[in-house]
Amino acid sequence: MTELFPLLARYGAKTFNGPLKVPHLGELGMIEPQLANDMYIRLFQTLPSDDYVTFMNEFPTITLDHENAFYHWRIAGNNNKTVALVDWSDTLGSQPASVGLNGANWYMYFAEQFFDVNDVIVGHNPDDYYVRVVAVERESTNRYKYTVQLISDDPSNRSIPATELTVGNRWSKETNFQSGERSYTGTGAHFTTFVEMKARAALQRMKYVVDGNMISAGKNVPLVFGLPDPKDPKNPKPYTGAFINFYDAVAMYQFKKQQARAFLFSHKNYSANEQYYNFDDKNGCTIGTFAGMFKQISNTNIQPYSTLNLDKIVDLTIEMGLAYKMQDEYYVEIETGAYGKKDISQWIESRSTQYTPNFVTDRVKSNSDMGSQGMTYQGVFTQFKSYNGVNIRVKHRPFFDDVERYKEKHPSGYGLNSSRHMMIRNFIGDPGIYKVQVKGFENGHFRYIPGMRDPFSAGAQAPSRPGMAVNSVDAYEVHGMDFTGCVVKDPTKILWMPYNS
């Protein structure tokens, strides 16, 4: 961090990993030095990484009854279906330039028996050609021969070109017509089974050690600031053990951030049959993880890009049903990093110049610099209304700017992930994304292992009366554990656009 303030920094920043000792109090600004003033700039309060926890807390919670249980849910697809054409020919076995003239039959081959007699099927030009199924015959496994006929009011002049019968083209069931007299059959109903999904919560733990002489800090050692006494909140003096509680708060904050990162990015380590692939070498037990939010997105909804185009994004929202309706208008929120927000604003501005020459009165203002000559150019675009009425809103997602996690730099200087875009559908009343927790662990479990002194020592000192200790060390350990998990109920309702450099 020192490189950020090369001219002003007196001390280099240090990171402590392990027991915190009394000398550290001064380095952390907890013991009162002789200062010019008592103003502190706490950078961690505005770090992009803080947004991980904020984001996770936006979602509701699903509670599992047991810590080893899976949460199951089902996704039912629609019943729409298309079938690929495998082959075709006329009744002589050839493939002429066109077929079907004068009501002549021809053959179409599909890999399954999906269409029924008297069904009307359509291909890539459904408004031009209606094809009736005359008969169905199973020739072999995965090969069904359909005798078909063109429906037309001018059969002597109407036929279907061979280009409409390209192998691989998709065909669908349009409708079904039957004879008005002595009809004997009908079209068959078809059903699409559901897909069963499952997710679990995984155990995460933390620990830290506090030396015994740290407990007296706040009573015997003057502190710059401390947490107020819960029994006397108006008392400006920090109560006994104030620093220890501050240390707890920092440790809890770090633990919560680890949980939030797992909620977003964790990789699962088990198969569909719940076979786990990681084990603790010391106790021989299974280490279970879970799939984070980004790992549950459907593959078709991951769309890398290198050049921003909001028109393309609008097209994707239409195809995927990502826009939500509010008062007869459709909206889509793009959540992106600082550089992505800048990129979007510049794209909208370049588009706006096609319609409005300069925005002089709205965007150019005078200022007091250089006498009366100073001018300010202002305005940042944060919304875009597309030609089809979809309103795109831009929302800054600070954790995309986290250079601790995303080490690779974009030419802008931000982390490369700052240019990534994530779009989440706003479900009205139901976000479709949930945190997973375990019953009984709603706030986690936190315990301490006392030594010669513990955080409950009378007067912040070792008690003079007889007592018991778990070990002989003049310190105590704090241990915490909690379960974290994520459920994305519909993986097709998140669009993830990573920047492809």
Side-chain angles (χ1 to χ4, degrees):
M1 188 183 293
T2 309
E3 65 270 15
L4 297 177
F5 319 109
L7 300 180
L8 300 179
R10 291 188 60 214
Y11 306 109
K14 295 183 180 180
T15 299
F16 301 105
N17 184 21
L20 204 64
K21 300 182 181 297
V22 168
H24 295 157
L25 291 174
E27 295 177 301
L28 290 176
M30 296 304 300
I31 296 179
E32 181 71 75
Q34 184 174 349
L35 298 175
N37 60 66
D38 60 356
M39 297 298 293
Y40 284 81
I41 301 174
R42 299 306 302 267
L43 294 179
F44 75 86
Q45 294 177 349
T46 56
L47 284 176
S49 58
D50 291 351
D51 187 51
Y52 293 117
V53 179
T54 303
F55 182 81
M56 181 179 70
N57 289 338
E58 291 178 3
F59 302 107
T61 301
I62 291 173
T63 302
L64 300 178
D65 290 334
H66 308 287
E67 61 187 68
N68 293 319
F70 277 82
Y71 176 78
H72 289 245
W73 72 101
R74 293 171 177 176
I75 298 178
N78 60 50
N79 290 316
N80 299 333
K81 183 174 182 178
T82 62
V83 184
L85 183 65
V86 174
D87 199 1
W88 72 277
S89 71
D90 61 15
T91 55
L92 300 176
S94 61
Q95 294 184 344
S98 64
V99 290
L101 193 65
N102 293 316
N105 293 342
W106 76 95
Y107 304 132
M108 297 175 69
Y109 298 87
F110 295 94
E112 58 183 289
Q113 188 175 356
F114 180 66
F115 306 119
D116 298 293
V117 172
N118 290 330
D119 276 355
V120 176
I121 63 176
V122 292
H124 284 201
N125 292 290
D127 295 330
D128 297 331
Y129 305 106
Y130 253 34
V131 177
R132 168 180 165 258
V133 175
V134 176
V136 183
E137 176 186 350
R138 181 178 184 273
E139 287 195 336
S140 62
T141 303
N142 297 330
R143 186 175 177 88
Y144 291 83
K145 174 183 173 182
Y146 289 80
T147 303
V148 296
Q149 182 184 55
L150 185 65
I151 293 179
S152 173
D153 61 355
D154 187 12
S156 61
N157 293 305
R158 286 279 292 170
S159 61
I160 184 168
T163 53
E164 185 71 9
L165 302 171
T166 302
V167 172
N169 278 5
R170 314 291 299 188
W171 288 75
S172 62
K173 184 183 296 188
E174 177 87 345
T175 187
N176 178 281
F177 294 112
Q178 299 290 338
S179 170
E181 298 173 344
R182 299 182 184 180
S183 61
Y184 57 89
T185 187
T187 188
H190 61 280
F191 305 94
T192 301
T193 60
F194 57 80
V195 176
E196 183 153 326
M197 312 283 283
K198 64 181 178 181
R200 69 183 301 272
L203 179 66
Q204 295 176 283
R205 291 191 57 167
M206 64 171 293
K207 72 171 184 176
Y208 56 94
V209 178
V210 179
D211 283 353
N213 60 353
M214 292 289 293
I215 301 171
S216 63
K219 183 174 182 180
N220 300 328
V221 180
L223 300 181
V224 176
F225 64 92
L227 301 182
D229 188 339
K231 297 179 180 179
D232 187 12
K234 294 183 179 180
N235 189 341
K237 295 182 179 180
Y239 74 103
T240 299
F243 178 74
I244 299 303
N245 288 333
F246 175 76
Y247 191 17
D248 290 343
V250 172
M252 287 291 297
Y253 163 80
Q254 293 175 356
F255 184 48
K256 203 68 178 177
K257 189 161 64 174
Q258 292 178 18
Q259 289 181 291
R261 281 174 168 160
F263 172 83
L264 287 166
F265 308 111
S266 177
H267 296 234
K268 75 179 182 71
N269 68 342
Y270 56 87
S271 67
N273 297 324
E274 300 178 17
Q275 177 183 354
Y276 291 84
Y277 300 108
N278 295 102
F279 300 90
D280 190 305
D281 292 339
K282 184 176 181 179
N283 61 25
C285 297
T286 299
I287 297 175
T289 67
F290 64 92
M293 188 192 79
F294 282 97
K295 297 302 178 183
Q296 295 185 45
I297 300 174
S298 172
N299 290 335
T300 58
N301 287 45
I302 301 175
Q303 301 282 336
Y305 81 100
S306 55
T307 302
L308 178 68
N309 187 335
L310 292 189
D311 288 331
K312 180 181 178 181
I313 294 177
V314 169
D315 291 340
L316 289 172
T317 65
I318 296 172
E319 294 174 6
M320 298 177 180
L322 288 170
Y324 65 93
K325 190 173 183 180
M326 182 183 295
Q327 297 179 344
D328 298 325
E329 297 257 4
Y330 286 90
Y331 293 89
V332 168
E333 279 192 354
I334 298 179
E335 302 187 60
T336 184
Y339 189 81
K341 187 175 181 180
K342 172 178 175 286
D343 201 14
I344 290 173
S345 178
Q346 290 177 333
W347 188 95
I348 299 174
E349 183 166 352
S350 66
R351 173 64 65 87
S352 70
T353 58
Q354 301 177 21
Y355 307 101
T356 306
N358 46 40
F359 293 101
V360 170
T361 58
D362 295 328
R363 305 192 67 184
V364 180
K365 305 288 183 180
S366 61
N367 60 44
S368 59
D369 294 342
M370 300 176 65
S372 61
Q373 303 301 311
M375 302 291 288
T376 299
Y377 184 72
Q378 63 185 12
V380 176
F381 288 97
T382 59
Q383 294 190 32
F384 173 67
K385 189 165 186 176
S386 177
Y387 51 85
N388 55 8
V390 174
N391 296 273
I392 289 183
R393 294 172 172 174
V394 183
K395 181 178 181 180
H396 183 213
R397 191 83 265 170
F399 70 69
F400 284 154
D401 304 325
D402 181 15
V403 294
E404 177 188 5
R405 186 174 195 275
Y406 300 105
K407 288 83 173 175
E408 188 176 355
K409 293 294 182 67
H410 182 276
S412 67
Y414 287 107
L416 185 63
N417 213 58
S418 181
S419 297
R420 294 187 174 189
H421 301 88
M422 174 181 60
M423 188 180 303
I424 299 178
R425 179 180 180 183
N426 272 346
F427 292 80
I428 303 302
D430 184 355
I433 301 172
Y434 298 85
K435 294 180 293 182
V436 180
Q437 66 182 20
V438 175
K439 186 176 181 180
F441 281 83
E442 286 79 2
N443 297 310
H445 283 188
F446 295 90
R447 301 288 186 269
Y448 75 95
I449 301 175
M452 292 300 293
R453 282 185 280 189
D454 61 62
F456 304 106
S457 295
Q461 302 295 323
S464 57
R465 62 182 181 272
M468 297 184 67
V470 175
N471 60 68
S472 60
V473 178
D474 184 18
Y476 69 91
E477 295 182 18
V478 179
H479 290 257
M481 68 179 185
D482 201 357
F483 284 86
T484 312
C486 177
V487 164
V488 179
K489 285 202 168 180
D490 189 348
T492 67
K493 295 307 180 186
I494 304 177
L495 179 63
W496 172 232
M497 299 181 65
Y499 182 81
N500 190 10
S501 59

